[in-house]
C-alpha cells in the first residue's frame, strides 16, 4: 500500500445530441428566453485589426454536410491578446470577445464567423506560433468534442516556423488545417470528420 | 509565503476514461468519428484562456425551467426537482465563474424542436433550457421538472434514460465539456447505447446523480446532486523553458 493520490477524474463526455441548439443557441430554435444567443457576435464595438469572415462546413465520412452541429471558435485579438481573465500579458481589445458560436445554417449547415485576423501567440517555450483560431465541434454522433485549429494559407512564413505544424508527422495532412482565402478578408475552413482529407484533430 | 512562479498547462485527458470516437453501438458515431490518431501537444495560451461570462448576463429565471418559458401564473408539468452540485477540477479545487448551460426533454420525453418527431405532447409552459454561473465555491443550482425517457432511432427499440444535457465552460478552453446527467435508479441507464460509449463502469456512475433528501424543499421539490469535474491544471515552481531562449 502507498499513500493515495487524491485526484478526481474528469467527468466523462457524452454526445451533444441532436438538440444541442435548444441549450446553446435557443433563439435559433425559436425558444426566446434569453437575449441574443451567446457567441452570435464577437464584436461589441469598433475593433482593432483586420476584420475577416470565416466560413465553412463540417462533413461526415460520406461527404454529407452536418446540419445539427455546433461550432465554437476561440482566438486572440488582432494583437495576439485574449479577452480572458487568464490573460496576463496585457489588455485585449475590449470590443472583441474572441469567442464565437454557430449552429450553422438551418438548410446547408454552413457556419459563418465575423471576426478579426488573430495576432500571433507564443508557445510555452517562448517560440511564436503562427496565427490560428481554435475550433471545437460537437454534434450528434460525436462522443467527445473535437478540437482543431485553423491556420491561414497566406501566412506561409509563419506556418513554416510554427512549433505544432512543423511537428506533424504526416506533412501531407497539414493543408487540412489551412483556411483558403476566397476573397479579400474571406476565408474558408471546411472540416472533414473522417476519410479522405480528414481534418487533423488535437488531443490538447 | 509560498509563491507559485509558473502555472503549468492542463493535465492531459484520460482517453480511456472518456468515450472513444468510434462506438458502433451508437450508429451515428460510425461516419462521424475521426479515424486518424489525435495530435497530442501541451496546452498553450490558446487552450489555457477562456471567454469571460459575467453573472450580470443572467436573467432572474434563467435557472428556473419550471417558469422561464411558462405563461404568467402557470408552470411546467412534471415532477418538480432541484439540481445542484459543484464544478471542481481534477485537483479538487472549486471552479468559480463557470458557465453551465442545460437542456432537456419535458416530463413526457419530448423536446421543443422542429426535428423532434416523438408522439408525446409538448408542454406549452416548458421551453427546456436554462443556464447559470457557479459561485465562488464552484456551486450551482437550478430548478426544473424531471425529464421523461424517450425512444430514439438507433436500434429498433432504443430508449434514452431520463437525462439533462450540460455544457460547461471552465477557466481554459481545454476544459470545454458537454455531458449528460442521469438519475439514480433509472434502469434505462445500463441499456442505453449512448451511455455505453463510456467503457468504465465507474465513469458511467460519475454521471448518475443521487437523490439528495437534505436539499429537498418539503411539500415542493425533490433534489438531485450532480458534481462536475473539469480537467486540472498543473502548478509548479519549475519553469518549463528551453535553455537560452
Ligand atoms: Fe437528450
Amino acid at each position: 500500500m502507498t499513500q493515495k493520490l487524491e485526484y478526481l477524474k474528469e467527468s466523462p463526455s457524452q454526445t451533444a445530441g441532436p438538440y444541442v441548439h435548444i441549450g446553446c443557441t435557443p433563439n435559433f430554435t425559436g425558444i426566446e428566453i434569453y437575449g441574443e444567443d451567446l457567441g452570435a457576435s464577437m464584436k461589441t464595438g469598433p475593433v482593432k485589426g483586420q476584420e475577416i469572415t470565416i466560413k465553412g462546413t463540417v462533413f461526415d465520412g460520406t461527404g454529407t454536410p452536418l446540419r445539427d452541429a455546433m461550432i465554437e471558435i476561440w482566438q486572440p485579438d488582432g494583437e495576439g491578446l485574449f479577452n480572458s481573465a487568464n490573460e496576463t500579458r496585457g489588455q485585449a481589445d475590449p470590443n472583441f470577445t474572441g469567442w464565437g458560436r454557430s449552429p450553422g445554417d438551418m438548410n446547408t449547415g454552413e457556419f459563418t464567423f465575423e471576426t478579426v485576423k488573430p495576432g500571433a501567440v507564443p508557445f510555452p517555450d517562448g517560440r511564436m506560433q503562427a496565427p490560428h483560431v481554435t475550433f471545437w465541434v460537437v454534434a450528434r454522433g460525436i462522443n467527445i468534442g473535437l478540437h482543431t485549429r485553423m491556420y491561414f494559407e497566406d501566412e506561409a512564413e509563419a506556418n513554416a516556423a510554427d512549433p505544432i505544424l512543423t511537428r506533424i508527422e504526416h506533412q501531407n495532412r497539414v493543408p487540412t488545417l489551412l483556411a483558403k482565402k476566397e476573397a479579400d478578408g474571406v476565408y474558408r475552413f471546411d472540416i472533414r470528420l473522417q476519410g479522405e482529407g480528414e481534418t487533423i484533430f488535437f488531443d490538447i | 509565503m509560498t509563491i507559485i512562479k509558473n502555472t503549468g498547462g492542463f493535465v492531459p485527458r484520460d482517453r480511456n476514461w472518456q468515450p472513444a470516437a468510434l462506438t458502433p453501438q451508437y450508429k451515428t458515431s460510425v461516419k462521424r468519428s475521426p479515424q486518424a490518431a489525435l495530435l497530442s501537444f501541451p496546452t498553450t495560451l490558446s487552450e489555457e484562456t477562456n471567454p469571460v461570462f459575467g453573472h450580470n448576463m443572467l436573467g432572474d429565471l434563467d435557472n428556473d425551467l419550471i417558469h422561464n418559458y411558462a405563461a404568467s401564473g402557470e408552470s411546467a408539468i412534471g415532477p418538480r426537482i432541484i439540481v445542484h452540485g459543484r464544478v471542481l477540477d481534477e485537483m479538487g479545487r472549486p471552479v468559480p465563474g463557470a458557465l453551465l448551460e442545460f437542456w432537456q426533454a419535458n416530463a413526457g420525453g419530448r423536446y421543443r424542436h422542429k426535428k423532434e418527431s416523438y408522439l408525446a405532447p409538448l408542454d406549452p409552459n416548458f421551453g427546456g433550457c436554462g443556464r447559470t454561473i457557479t459561485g465562488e465555491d464552484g456551486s450551482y443550482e437550478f430548478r426544473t421538472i424531471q425529464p421523461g425517457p424517450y425512444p430514439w432511432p438507433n436500434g429498433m427499440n432504443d430508449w434514452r434514460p431520463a437525462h439533462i444535457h450540460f455544457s460547461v465552460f471552465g477557466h481554459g478552453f481545454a476544459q470545454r465539456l458537454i455531458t449528460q446527467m442521469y438519475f439514480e435508479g433509472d434502469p434505462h441507464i445500463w441499456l442505453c447505447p449512448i451511455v455505453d460509449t463510456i467503457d468504465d463502469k465507474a465513469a458511467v456512475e460519475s454521471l448518475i446523480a443521487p437523490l439528495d433528501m437534505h436539499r429537498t424543499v418539503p411539500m415542493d421539490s425533490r433534489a438531485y446532486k450532480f458534481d462536475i469535474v473539469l480537467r486540472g491544471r498543473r502548478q509548479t515552481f519549475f519553469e518549463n523553458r528551453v535553455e537560452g531562449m
Side-chain angles (χ1 to χ4, degrees):
Chain A
M1 287 291 281
T2 63
Q3 294 186 9
K4 286 208 163 42
L5 291 169
E6 304 279 355
Y7 295 123
L8 304 175
K9 296 296 286 183
E10 185 187 18
S11 296
S13 171
Q14 291 272 261
T15 181
Y19 306 122
V20 60
H21 300 151
I22 293 175
C24 295
T25 56
N27 292 282
F28 175 76
T29 67
I31 299 174
E32 291 166 6
I33 294 174
Y34 324 136
E36 186 184 57
D37 286 332
L38 287 182
S41 69
M42 301 174 69
K43 302 169 192 170
T44 55
V47 291
K48 297 176 204 156
Q50 186 198 350
E51 300 192 46
I52 62 167
T53 302
I54 300 172
K55 292 170 178 288
T57 306
V58 183
F59 295 97
D60 72 13
T62 73
T64 305
L66 268 62
R67 287 173 300 166
D68 52 10
M70 178 174 82
I71 299 97
E72 291 185 354
I73 66 171
W74 172 239
Q75 63 163 92
D77 67 9
E79 270 147 23
L81 294 170
F82 289 96
N83 195 336
S84 166
N86 294 342
E87 177 58 86
T88 56
R89 299 168 300 150
Q91 171 68 53
D93 182 346
N95 289 336
F96 182 65
T97 69
W99 176 68
R101 171 186 270 175
S102 172
D105 180 87
M106 196 84 75
N107 299 310
T108 66
E110 186 178 68
F111 58 80
T112 304
F113 295 102
E114 299 295 339
T115 182
V116 302
K117 184 126 183 235
V121 173
F123 201 60
D125 64 10
R127 287 180 290 167
M128 288 312 273
Q129 304 183 78
H132 63 270
V133 175
T134 293
F135 271 70
W136 193 67
V137 181
V138 294
R140 178 173 65 95
I142 296 175
N143 290 325
I144 181 165
L146 296 169
H147 279 266
T148 187
R149 283 184 173 190
M150 178 193 116
Y151 293 81
F152 295 84
E153 68 167 1
D154 53 357
E155 290 282 347
E157 202 177 318
N159 292 342
D162 182 82
I164 288 173
L165 291 180
T166 52
R167 193 169 116 181
I168 294 170
E169 181 190 354
H170 297 110
Q171 283 292 309
N172 58 353
R173 296 187 66 210
V174 169
T176 69
L177 302 180
L178 303 181
K180 295 192 172 39
K181 193 169 178 174
E182 281 197 337
D184 246 11
V186 181
Y187 293 88
R188 170 159 297 277
F189 184 59
D190 289 333
I191 296 173
R192 290 182 172 76
L193 297 181
Q194 187 188 86
E196 198 183 332
E198 180 176 310
T199 301
I200 296 177
F201 295 100
F202 296 85
D203 178 29
I204 51 160
Chain B
M1 197 174 102
T2 302
I3 295 166
I4 292 169
K5 287 174 72 175
N6 184 33
T7 302
F10 283 92
V11 173
R13 277 208 152 108
D14 182 347
R15 294 275 170 183
N16 294 320
W17 178 260
Q18 293 290 347
L22 175 61
T23 48
Q25 67 274 37
Y26 177 22
K27 294 182 180 180
T28 313
S29 76
V30 173
K31 289 295 180 190
R32 292 186 170 194
S33 42
Q35 292 169 326
L38 300 176
L39 178 68
S40 297
F41 66 90
T43 55
T44 75
L45 280 166
S46 300
E47 295 78 35
E48 292 161 8
T49 53
N50 201 66
V52 175
F53 302 104
H55 289 265
N56 58 0
M57 73 175 217
L58 300 175
D60 286 346
L61 295 179
D62 283 7
N63 66 345
D64 183 354
L65 283 71
I66 291 180
H67 294 110
N68 68 12
Y69 195 80
S72 177
E74 297 187 23
S75 58
I77 291 173
R80 296 160 63 88
I81 59 170
I82 288 163
V83 177
H84 77 98
R86 288 202 298 161
V87 179
L88 305 165
D89 70 14
E90 289 170 293
M91 276 59 174
R93 289 185 288 249
V95 182
L99 173 68
L100 303 181
E101 298 164 286
F102 17 86
W103 64 102
Q104 62 169 84
N106 69 22
R110 170 80 185 260
Y111 282 95
R112 182 172 289 281
H113 195 283
K114 68 174 196 198
K115 288 181 185 163
E116 157 77 288
S117 57
Y118 184 30
L119 52 78
L122 282 170
D123 175 349
N125 290 313
F126 188 70
C129 64
R131 60 186 184 181
T132 189
I133 295 177
T134 57
E136 280 306 307
D137 59 353
S139 67
Y140 75 91
E141 70 178 317
F142 62 94
R143 180 154 73 158
T144 186
I145 51 89
Q146 191 166 13
Y150 58 82
W152 59 295
N154 185 62
M156 281 309 295
N157 188 22
D158 282 328
W159 292 73
R160 294 304 323 281
H163 62 276
I164 300 176
H165 298 264
F166 280 73
S167 163
V168 191
F169 285 84
H171 293 172
F173 213 70
Q175 293 177 312
R176 192 79 182 83
L177 182 72
I178 282 183
T179 189
Q180 302 181 28
M181 173 194 125
Y182 302 102
F183 292 85
E184 177 183 8
D186 186 340
H188 288 291
I189 293 169
W190 305 106
L191 301 173
C192 175
I194 287 177
V195 173
D196 189 52
T197 62
I198 301 169
D199 280 339
D200 192 312
K201 184 161 183 273
V204 172
E205 287 168 344
S206 74
L207 296 180
I208 303 175
L211 176 69
D212 181 358
M213 287 299 285
H214 285 19
R215 284 292 290 266
T216 57
V217 179
M219 310 307 286
D220 180 334
S221 301
R222 293 175 307 139
Y224 283 87
K225 182 175 91 71
F226 186 56
D227 288 340
I228 296 166
V229 180
L230 303 180
R231 286 169 67 185
R233 194 167 177 183
R234 289 193 298 272
Q235 291 186 332
T236 175
F237 297 100
F238 301 103
E239 303 271 352
N240 184 18
R241 290 193 188 276
V242 177
E243 294 296 327
M245 293 199 73

